[in-house]
Amino acid sequence: MENRIVTGNLEDDLKLCADADWIIEVVAENLEIKRALLARVAEFASPPFVTRYLRPPVGRISEGLPEEWQQHWAGTHFFNPPRYLNLGRNIPGPRTRTDVIESLTSFATTTCKGVRRCQGYS
């Protein structure tokens, strides 16, 4: 499964998002930066899109997105250093579908991660 993971950059590879099953952003923990990135990604990709979560709250990032995006929106956080700490968390937004969280949890556990679903972060 790891052979399906692709890294890229915003200048050359944004169009690759169109074929992605799961997109994880890794940008500064700033609401405006995250929303600006999301707007660019939305030009190419359809849900699901997942933020690498620390701050701001997942629900605030997804505000104003189309309903379908909000239903597929969630936060994911891998504890560092990930090669030693096999633990992550999934944080649903206020409209995240249950099956989206279940799929994220299933994928993460197949990559040897213990995953916890968090509440109250949206």
Side-chain angles (χ1 to χ4, degrees):
M1 189 171 301
E2 290 84 5
N3 63 344
R4 295 183 56 200
I5 297 172
V6 177
T7 59
N9 68 64
L10 292 176
E11 302 310 318
D12 303 318
D13 302 312
L14 204 52
K15 63 187 172 296
L16 296 175
C17 293
D19 296 324
D21 294 323
W22 184 15
I23 301 168
I24 302 174
E25 58 82 0
V26 184
V27 297
E29 299 302 325
N30 176 288
L31 184 60
E32 290 76 29
I33 292 171
K34 287 182 181 287
R35 284 186 175 165
L37 172 63
L38 181 60
R40 289 185 67 192
V41 170
E43 294 175 31
F44 298 95
S46 57
F49 185 85
V50 179
T51 184
R52 179 194 57 89
Y53 173 86
L54 290 174
R55 291 175 202 84
V58 172
R60 289 196 51 216
I61 298 168
S62 65
E63 285 174 355
L65 293 173
E67 184 68 24
E68 184 182 16
W69 274 77
Q70 291 188 48
Q71 292 175 357
H72 288 83
W73 182 263
T76 296
H77 178 248
F78 301 106
F79 289 84
N80 287 314
R83 66 186 171 276
Y84 299 121
L85 296 177
N86 293 322
L87 181 61
R89 62 181 172 173
N90 291 327
I91 307 100
R95 292 185 174 88
T96 308
R97 292 181 359 197
T98 302
D99 63 315
V100 170
I101 293 296
E102 290 170 357
S103 293
L104 291 171
T105 301
S106 176
F107 177 80
T109 55
T110 62
T111 58
C112 301
K113 293 285 179 186
V115 178
R116 301 293 178 259
R117 178 177 173 175
C118 298
Q119 298 284 348
Y121 290 95
S122 57

